[in-house]
mmCIF file of all heavy atoms in Angstrom:
data_model
loop_
_atom_site.group_PDB
_atom_site.id
_atom_site.type_symbol
_atom_site.label_atom_id
_atom_site.label_comp_id
_atom_site.label_asym_id
_atom_site.label_seq_id
_atom_site.Cartn_x
_atom_site.Cartn_y
_atom_site.Cartn_z
ATOM 1 N N CYS J 1 -60.856 155.365 -117.163
ATOM 2 C CA CYS J 1 -61.564 156.406 -116.415
ATOM 3 C C CYS J 1 -61.770 156.026 -114.950
ATOM 4 O O CYS J 1 -62.145 156.876 -114.135
ATOM 5 C CB CYS J 1 -62.913 156.677 -117.065
ATOM 6 S SG CYS J 1 -64.053 155.264 -116.989
ATOM 7 N N GLY J 2 -61.552 154.754 -114.608
ATOM 8 C CA GLY J 2 -61.788 154.279 -113.250
ATOM 9 C C GLY J 2 -63.239 153.992 -112.959
ATOM 10 O O GLY J 2 -63.590 153.648 -111.828
ATOM 11 N N GLY J 3 -64.104 154.092 -113.983
ATOM 12 C CA GLY J 3 -65.526 153.863 -113.760
ATOM 13 C C GLY J 3 -65.937 152.410 -113.764
ATOM 14 O O GLY J 3 -67.052 152.078 -113.346
ATOM 15 N N ILE J 4 -65.057 151.512 -114.243
ATOM 16 C CA ILE J 4 -65.336 150.074 -114.248
ATOM 17 C C ILE J 4 -64.146 149.376 -113.610
ATOM 18 O O ILE J 4 -63.019 149.479 -114.116
ATOM 19 C CB ILE J 4 -65.530 149.532 -115.676
ATOM 20 C CG1 ILE J 4 -66.477 150.424 -116.479
ATOM 21 C CG2 ILE J 4 -66.043 148.095 -115.641
ATOM 22 C CD1 ILE J 4 -66.446 150.144 -117.964
ATOM 23 N N VAL J 5 -64.379 148.683 -112.522
ATOM 24 C CA VAL J 5 -63.293 148.022 -111.787
ATOM 25 C C VAL J 5 -63.706 146.599 -111.467
ATOM 26 O O VAL J 5 -64.786 146.352 -110.940
ATOM 27 C CB VAL J 5 -62.961 148.768 -110.477
ATOM 28 C CG1 VAL J 5 -61.838 148.057 -109.728
ATOM 29 C CG2 VAL J 5 -62.575 150.219 -110.768
ATOM 30 N N VAL J 6 -62.833 145.646 -111.801
ATOM 31 C CA VAL J 6 -63.057 144.251 -111.430
ATOM 32 C C VAL J 6 -62.727 144.068 -109.954
ATOM 33 O O VAL J 6 -61.605 144.344 -109.523
ATOM 34 C CB VAL J 6 -62.182 143.307 -112.278
ATOM 35 C CG1 VAL J 6 -62.285 141.883 -111.755
ATOM 36 C CG2 VAL J 6 -62.612 143.353 -113.732
ATOM 37 N N LYS J 7 -63.681 143.624 -109.187
ATOM 38 C CA LYS J 7 -63.471 143.397 -107.753
ATOM 39 C C LYS J 7 -63.138 141.944 -107.439
ATOM 40 O O LYS J 7 -62.723 141.622 -106.338
ATOM 41 C CB LYS J 7 -64.711 143.826 -106.975
ATOM 42 C CG LYS J 7 -65.006 145.316 -107.025
ATOM 43 C CD LYS J 7 -66.253 145.667 -106.228
ATOM 44 C CE LYS J 7 -66.100 145.376 -104.759
ATOM 45 N NZ LYS J 7 -67.303 145.787 -103.983
ATOM 46 N N GLY J 8 -63.351 141.056 -108.417
ATOM 47 C CA GLY J 8 -63.083 139.647 -108.176
ATOM 48 C C GLY J 8 -64.215 138.974 -107.436
ATOM 49 O O GLY J 8 -65.337 139.478 -107.366
ATOM 50 N N SER J 9 -63.924 137.821 -106.855
ATOM 51 C CA SER J 9 -64.947 137.081 -106.113
ATOM 52 C C SER J 9 -65.294 137.833 -104.829
ATOM 53 O O SER J 9 -64.420 138.141 -104.027
ATOM 54 C CB SER J 9 -64.440 135.680 -105.779
ATOM 55 O OG SER J 9 -64.141 134.969 -106.960
ATOM 56 N N ALA J 10 -66.568 138.142 -104.661
ATOM 57 C CA ALA J 10 -67.017 138.859 -103.473
ATOM 58 C C ALA J 10 -68.475 138.535 -103.211
ATOM 59 O O ALA J 10 -69.261 138.404 -104.141
ATOM 60 C CB ALA J 10 -66.838 140.377 -103.657
ATOM 61 N N ASP J 11 -68.804 138.398 -101.933
ATOM 62 C CA ASP J 11 -70.191 138.150 -101.520
ATOM 63 C C ASP J 11 -70.802 136.942 -102.224
ATOM 64 O O ASP J 11 -71.969 136.953 -102.625
ATOM 65 C CB ASP J 11 -71.047 139.392 -101.775
ATOM 66 C CG ASP J 11 -70.555 140.612 -101.010
ATOM 67 O OD1 ASP J 11 -70.056 140.429 -99.884
ATOM 68 O OD2 ASP J 11 -70.651 141.725 -101.544
ATOM 69 N N GLY J 12 -70.003 135.894 -102.410
ATOM 70 C CA GLY J 12 -70.508 134.672 -103.021
ATOM 71 C C GLY J 12 -70.577 134.712 -104.530
ATOM 72 O O GLY J 12 -71.045 133.751 -105.151
ATOM 73 N N MET J 13 -70.107 135.786 -105.148
ATOM 74 C CA MET J 13 -70.149 135.917 -106.594
ATOM 75 C C MET J 13 -68.863 135.388 -107.226
ATOM 76 O O MET J 13 -67.783 135.490 -106.642
ATOM 77 C CB MET J 13 -70.329 137.388 -106.999
ATOM 78 C CG MET J 13 -71.630 138.001 -106.524
ATOM 79 S SD MET J 13 -73.064 137.271 -107.358
ATOM 80 C CE MET J 13 -74.405 138.121 -106.553
ATOM 81 N N LEU J 14 -68.991 134.844 -108.440
ATOM 82 C CA LEU J 14 -67.810 134.428 -109.193
ATOM 83 C C LEU J 14 -66.982 135.635 -109.579
ATOM 84 O O LEU J 14 -65.757 135.626 -109.511
ATOM 85 C CB LEU J 14 -68.244 133.661 -110.444
ATOM 86 C CG LEU J 14 -67.146 133.324 -111.462
ATOM 87 C CD1 LEU J 14 -66.160 132.336 -110.868
ATOM 88 C CD2 LEU J 14 -67.778 132.767 -112.738
ATOM 89 N N GLN J 15 -67.642 136.709 -110.000
ATOM 90 C CA GLN J 15 -66.977 137.951 -110.372
ATOM 91 C C GLN J 15 -67.897 139.120 -110.066
ATOM 92 O O GLN J 15 -69.115 139.030 -110.265
ATOM 93 C CB GLN J 15 -66.629 137.945 -111.860
ATOM 94 C CG GLN J 15 -65.797 139.124 -112.340
ATOM 95 C CD GLN J 15 -64.415 139.120 -111.728
ATOM 96 O OE1 GLN J 15 -64.235 139.605 -110.613
ATOM 97 N NE2 GLN J 15 -63.451 138.568 -112.439
ATOM 98 N N THR J 16 -67.337 140.198 -109.576
ATOM 99 C CA THR J 16 -68.098 141.402 -109.284
ATOM 100 C C THR J 16 -67.411 142.600 -109.909
ATOM 101 O O THR J 16 -66.193 142.726 -109.846
ATOM 102 C CB THR J 16 -68.249 141.616 -107.765
ATOM 103 O OG1 THR J 16 -68.904 140.487 -107.177
ATOM 104 C CG2 THR J 16 -69.058 142.869 -107.471
ATOM 105 N N PHE J 17 -68.201 143.480 -110.524
ATOM 106 C CA PHE J 17 -67.700 144.716 -111.094
ATOM 107 C C PHE J 17 -68.241 145.889 -110.284
ATOM 108 O O PHE J 17 -69.434 145.948 -109.980
ATOM 109 C CB PHE J 17 -68.153 144.874 -112.548
ATOM 110 C CG PHE J 17 -67.569 143.860 -113.480
ATOM 111 C CD1 PHE J 17 -68.174 142.617 -113.645
ATOM 112 C CD2 PHE J 17 -66.416 144.127 -114.206
ATOM 113 C CE1 PHE J 17 -67.656 141.662 -114.504
ATOM 114 C CE2 PHE J 17 -65.884 143.189 -115.069
ATOM 115 C CZ PHE J 17 -66.502 141.951 -115.220
ATOM 116 N N GLN J 18 -67.364 146.820 -109.980
ATOM 117 C CA GLN J 18 -67.772 148.059 -109.332
ATOM 118 C C GLN J 18 -67.881 149.120 -110.425
ATOM 119 O O GLN J 18 -66.926 149.345 -111.176
ATOM 120 C CB GLN J 18 -66.741 148.475 -108.289
ATOM 121 C CG GLN J 18 -67.158 149.658 -107.431
ATOM 122 C CD GLN J 18 -66.118 149.930 -106.359
ATOM 123 O OE1 GLN J 18 -64.957 150.174 -106.649
ATOM 124 N NE2 GLN J 18 -66.547 149.878 -105.108
ATOM 125 N N ILE J 19 -69.031 149.760 -110.524
ATOM 126 C CA ILE J 19 -69.305 150.670 -111.631
ATOM 127 C C ILE J 19 -69.684 152.035 -111.078
ATOM 128 O O ILE J 19 -70.662 152.157 -110.325
ATOM 129 C CB ILE J 19 -70.450 150.133 -112.514
ATOM 130 C CG1 ILE J 19 -70.142 148.711 -112.981
ATOM 131 C CG2 ILE J 19 -70.688 151.043 -113.710
ATOM 132 C CD1 ILE J 19 -71.360 147.846 -113.077
ATOM 133 N N ASP J 20 -68.923 153.050 -111.456
ATOM 134 C CA ASP J 20 -69.244 154.425 -111.101
ATOM 135 C C ASP J 20 -69.652 155.131 -112.383
ATOM 136 O O ASP J 20 -68.808 155.550 -113.182
ATOM 137 C CB ASP J 20 -68.036 155.114 -110.459
ATOM 138 C CG ASP J 20 -68.376 156.508 -109.922
ATOM 139 O OD1 ASP J 20 -69.442 157.035 -110.289
ATOM 140 O OD2 ASP J 20 -67.572 157.053 -109.138
ATOM 141 N N LEU J 21 -70.951 155.241 -112.612
ATOM 142 C CA LEU J 21 -71.449 155.787 -113.869
ATOM 143 C C LEU J 21 -71.089 157.260 -114.055
ATOM 144 O O LEU J 21 -71.084 157.761 -115.184
ATOM 145 C CB LEU J 21 -72.960 155.598 -113.951
ATOM 146 C CG LEU J 21 -73.428 154.137 -114.082
ATOM 147 C CD1 LEU J 21 -74.947 154.062 -114.033
ATOM 148 C CD2 LEU J 21 -72.905 153.509 -115.365
ATOM 149 N N SER J 22 -70.769 157.965 -112.975
ATOM 150 C CA SER J 22 -70.379 159.370 -113.094
ATOM 151 C C SER J 22 -69.029 159.527 -113.774
ATOM 152 O O SER J 22 -68.702 160.613 -114.272
ATOM 153 C CB SER J 22 -70.346 160.034 -111.719
ATOM 154 O OG SER J 22 -69.286 159.509 -110.923
ATOM 155 N N LYS J 23 -68.241 158.460 -113.805
ATOM 156 C CA LYS J 23 -66.913 158.512 -114.411
ATOM 157 C C LYS J 23 -66.882 158.016 -115.853
ATOM 158 O O LYS J 23 -65.866 158.177 -116.537
ATOM 159 C CB LYS J 23 -65.918 157.682 -113.578
ATOM 160 C CG LYS J 23 -65.682 158.223 -112.178
ATOM 161 C CD LYS J 23 -64.664 157.361 -111.443
ATOM 162 C CE LYS J 23 -64.387 157.903 -110.041
ATOM 163 N NZ LYS J 23 -63.391 157.057 -109.318
ATOM 164 N N ILE J 24 -67.944 157.397 -116.292
ATOM 165 C CA ILE J 24 -67.967 156.847 -117.648
ATOM 166 C C ILE J 24 -68.002 157.988 -118.661
ATOM 167 O O ILE J 24 -68.877 158.849 -118.594
ATOM 168 C CB ILE J 24 -69.185 155.925 -117.847
ATOM 169 C CG1 ILE J 24 -69.182 154.797 -116.809
ATOM 170 C CG2 ILE J 24 -69.201 155.358 -119.260
ATOM 171 C CD1 ILE J 24 -67.985 153.887 -116.875
ATOM 172 N N PRO J 25 -67.062 158.026 -119.612
ATOM 173 C CA PRO J 25 -67.057 159.125 -120.594
ATOM 174 C C PRO J 25 -68.266 159.075 -121.512
ATOM 175 O O PRO J 25 -68.901 158.029 -121.685
ATOM 176 C CB PRO J 25 -65.750 158.896 -121.365
ATOM 177 C CG PRO J 25 -65.448 157.450 -121.184
ATOM 178 C CD PRO J 25 -65.948 157.087 -119.820
ATOM 179 N N GLN J 26 -68.564 160.221 -122.112
ATOM 180 C CA GLN J 26 -69.766 160.316 -122.943
ATOM 181 C C GLN J 26 -69.705 159.401 -124.158
ATOM 182 O O GLN J 26 -70.747 159.006 -124.689
ATOM 183 C CB GLN J 26 -69.969 161.764 -123.389
ATOM 184 C CG GLN J 26 -70.352 162.695 -122.261
ATOM 185 C CD GLN J 26 -70.680 164.101 -122.753
ATOM 186 O OE1 GLN J 26 -70.531 164.405 -123.929
ATOM 187 N NE2 GLN J 26 -71.119 164.953 -121.838
ATOM 188 N N GLY J 27 -68.505 159.064 -124.602
ATOM 189 C CA GLY J 27 -68.377 158.196 -125.773
ATOM 190 C C GLY J 27 -68.741 156.754 -125.515
ATOM 191 O O GLY J 27 -68.932 155.975 -126.462
ATOM 192 N N ILE J 28 -68.853 156.354 -124.255
ATOM 193 C CA ILE J 28 -69.229 154.979 -123.902
ATOM 194 C C ILE J 28 -70.715 154.960 -123.569
ATOM 195 O O ILE J 28 -71.163 155.592 -122.609
ATOM 196 C CB ILE J 28 -68.403 154.455 -122.713
ATOM 197 C CG1 ILE J 28 -66.912 154.506 -123.035
ATOM 198 C CG2 ILE J 28 -68.833 153.043 -122.346
ATOM 199 C CD1 ILE J 28 -66.487 153.613 -124.169
ATOM 200 N N LYS J 29 -71.487 154.220 -124.368
ATOM 201 C CA LYS J 29 -72.939 154.204 -124.223
ATOM 202 C C LYS J 29 -73.490 152.883 -123.700
ATOM 203 O O LYS J 29 -74.638 152.815 -123.277
ATOM 204 C CB LYS J 29 -73.603 154.520 -125.570
ATOM 205 C CG LYS J 29 -73.237 155.880 -126.141
ATOM 206 C CD LYS J 29 -73.680 157.018 -125.226
ATOM 207 C CE LYS J 29 -73.419 158.380 -125.865
ATOM 208 N NZ LYS J 29 -73.807 159.490 -124.979
ATOM 209 N N ARG J 30 -72.697 151.812 -123.767
ATOM 210 C CA ARG J 30 -73.162 150.502 -123.316
ATOM 211 C C ARG J 30 -72.057 149.785 -122.558
ATOM 212 O O ARG J 30 -70.896 149.779 -122.992
ATOM 213 C CB ARG J 30 -73.593 149.619 -124.498
ATOM 214 C CG ARG J 30 -74.815 150.106 -125.259
ATOM 215 C CD ARG J 30 -75.021 149.272 -126.512
ATOM 216 N NE ARG J 30 -75.216 147.849 -126.227
ATOM 217 C CZ ARG J 30 -75.085 146.874 -127.125
ATOM 218 N NH1 ARG J 30 -74.750 147.177 -128.376
ATOM 219 N NH2 ARG J 30 -75.296 145.617 -126.784
ATOM 220 N N LEU J 31 -72.407 149.172 -121.452
ATOM 221 C CA LEU J 31 -71.509 148.285 -120.711
ATOM 222 C C LEU J 31 -72.125 146.895 -120.776
ATOM 223 O O LEU J 31 -73.168 146.641 -120.165
ATOM 224 C CB LEU J 31 -71.360 148.746 -119.259
ATOM 225 C CG LEU J 31 -70.897 150.192 -119.031
ATOM 226 C CD1 LEU J 31 -70.796 150.474 -117.535
ATOM 227 C CD2 LEU J 31 -69.573 150.463 -119.722
ATOM 228 N N VAL J 32 -71.494 146.016 -121.543
ATOM 229 C CA VAL J 32 -72.022 144.670 -121.749
ATOM 230 C C VAL J 32 -71.199 143.684 -120.935
ATOM 231 O O VAL J 32 -69.975 143.595 -121.099
ATOM 232 C CB VAL J 32 -71.994 144.297 -123.241
ATOM 233 C CG1 VAL J 32 -72.501 142.870 -123.432
ATOM 234 C CG2 VAL J 32 -72.836 145.273 -124.056
ATOM 235 N N PHE J 33 -71.846 142.932 -120.077
ATOM 236 C CA PHE J 33 -71.186 141.970 -119.199
ATOM 237 C C PHE J 33 -71.383 140.571 -119.766
ATOM 238 O O PHE J 33 -72.506 140.150 -120.049
ATOM 239 C CB PHE J 33 -71.746 142.090 -117.782
ATOM 240 C CG PHE J 33 -71.530 143.459 -117.200
ATOM 241 C CD1 PHE J 33 -72.477 144.458 -117.391
ATOM 242 C CD2 PHE J 33 -70.377 143.760 -116.509
ATOM 243 C CE1 PHE J 33 -72.279 145.736 -116.888
ATOM 244 C CE2 PHE J 33 -70.167 145.040 -115.995
ATOM 245 C CZ PHE J 33 -71.121 146.024 -116.184
ATOM 246 N N SER J 34 -70.270 139.856 -119.942
ATOM 247 C CA SER J 34 -70.292 138.579 -120.655
ATOM 248 C C SER J 34 -69.521 137.521 -119.884
ATOM 249 O O SER J 34 -68.681 137.823 -119.039
ATOM 250 C CB SER J 34 -69.678 138.741 -122.056
ATOM 251 O OG SER J 34 -70.313 139.787 -122.767
ATOM 252 N N ALA J 35 -69.820 136.271 -120.226
ATOM 253 C CA ALA J 35 -69.113 135.129 -119.642
ATOM 254 C C ALA J 35 -68.732 134.156 -120.746
ATOM 255 O O ALA J 35 -69.489 133.973 -121.712
ATOM 256 C CB ALA J 35 -69.993 134.425 -118.601
ATOM 257 N N THR J 36 -67.556 133.546 -120.637
ATOM 258 C CA THR J 36 -67.095 132.548 -121.600
ATOM 259 C C THR J 36 -66.596 131.322 -120.854
ATOM 260 O O THR J 36 -66.151 131.404 -119.710
ATOM 261 C CB THR J 36 -65.960 133.102 -122.486
ATOM 262 O OG1 THR J 36 -64.844 133.482 -121.656
ATOM 263 C CG2 THR J 36 -66.414 134.313 -123.275
#
């Protein structure tokens, strides 16, 4: 949907996600961010 985009390292962050909640389909109710 283009509502979740990995931006990579930015502004001192290891990883940054750009999130446009207006694009998230109704079937997606949770966005869980994880690290391994």
Side-chain angles (χ1 to χ4, degrees):
C1 65
I4 313 166
V5 180
V6 172
K7 294 180 64 177
S9 300
D11 300 326
M13 297 292 177
L14 171 66
Q15 186 66 276
T16 301
F17 294 86
Q18 187 176 58
I19 306 145
D20 187 345
L21 292 175
S22 68
K23 295 181 179 180
I24 303 299
Q26 291 186 355
I28 302 296
K29 300 298 185 182
R30 294 172 60 198
L31 305 180
V32 178
F33 300 89
S34 306
T36 60

